[in-house]
Amino acid sequence: MLHAHQMIYKNQCIPRLYIPCPKGGMGLLEIDYMYRSAIVGLHTYLLTSQDPNVVKVLKHEENKSKMTSLLYLAEAYQHQAGMEIKPEVDKNQAATECAKKQKKEYKVKDQMRRQEMWKKHKYSCKYRKLLEEPYVDQEGIKNG
């Protein structure tokens, strides 16, 4: 679809599409990333919630097969991102806050992974080097 509307070219670095604009990317949101971060957030919520109904859901998820369990999916996604599987539980913090914190950490790790892929792409070196030149307004880039 993006090729048809001439938004990207043949040899373009695909991870750059999903890097935020202030960091030199194109700022698109990826559906798969949004799905994965939601799974990671739900996983954290299930592990940190004290609600008896949520605990029942957690026990149900633990008994499901690895192919369909939300817990195993979230652990696989966190492992791919290089995150710790079991989040630290703070008794004073609500389960929703723990989930938001974990989703934010997943987002940071995913963006770092994409930036590393972009740096390694053979056609991206010229643009990336241009962004690091002293005459480029770094503050203007960050403020968008």
Side-chain angles (χ1 to χ4, degrees):
M1 191 69 151
L2 295 174
H3 283 290
H5 293 284
Q6 298 176 352
M7 297 291 293
I8 61 174
Y9 52 89
K10 182 180 174 184
N11 295 323
Q12 185 166 353
C13 180
I14 300 301
R16 183 176 168 231
L17 291 173
Y18 306 110
I19 295 173
C21 292
K23 295 184 179 180
M26 295 183 164
L28 292 177
L29 296 176
E30 184 179 21
I31 301 296
D32 186 50
Y33 157 74
M34 293 168 55
Y35 167 77
R36 287 173 181 245
S37 65
I39 296 294
V40 168
L42 284 171
H43 174 257
T44 306
Y45 181 77
L46 288 175
L47 292 177
T48 56
S49 180
Q50 302 298 323
D51 184 17
N53 293 327
V54 176
V55 172
K56 289 177 185 176
V57 172
L58 177 64
K59 289 189 186 307
H60 175 74
E61 286 293 324
E62 288 172 345
N63 294 330
K64 289 170 81 174
S65 72
K66 288 187 177 184
M67 297 303 290
T68 58
S69 175
L70 178 114
L71 300 177
Y72 293 111
L73 276 176
E75 288 174 4
Y77 297 155
Q78 288 173 318
H79 180 70
Q80 286 176 349
M83 296 173 58
E84 64 179 65
I85 304 294
K86 304 290 182 191
E88 295 180 13
V89 179
D90 184 10
K91 299 288 183 189
N92 298 329
Q93 199 172 26
T96 53
E97 294 301 317
C98 290
K100 287 178 185 177
K101 182 178 165 185
Q102 195 76 356
K103 280 178 67 172
K104 187 174 184 177
E105 183 183 344
Y106 182 77
K107 178 181 179 180
V108 168
K109 296 277 187 177
D110 188 64
Q111 286 181 358
M112 287 174 47
R113 182 182 59 85
R114 289 184 191 281
Q115 286 177 342
E116 288 301 315
M117 290 171 66
W118 178 39
K119 287 178 183 177
K120 293 177 183 175
H121 194 268
K122 61 183 174 181
Y123 294 114
S124 67
C125 56
K126 289 181 184 177
Y127 181 72
R128 196 178 65 251
K129 286 178 183 173
L130 277 175
L131 287 177
E132 296 169 357
E133 290 293 328
Y135 56 82
V136 175
D137 181 18
Q138 296 295 328
E139 196 63 35
I141 290 174
K142 289 178 184 173
N143 294 332

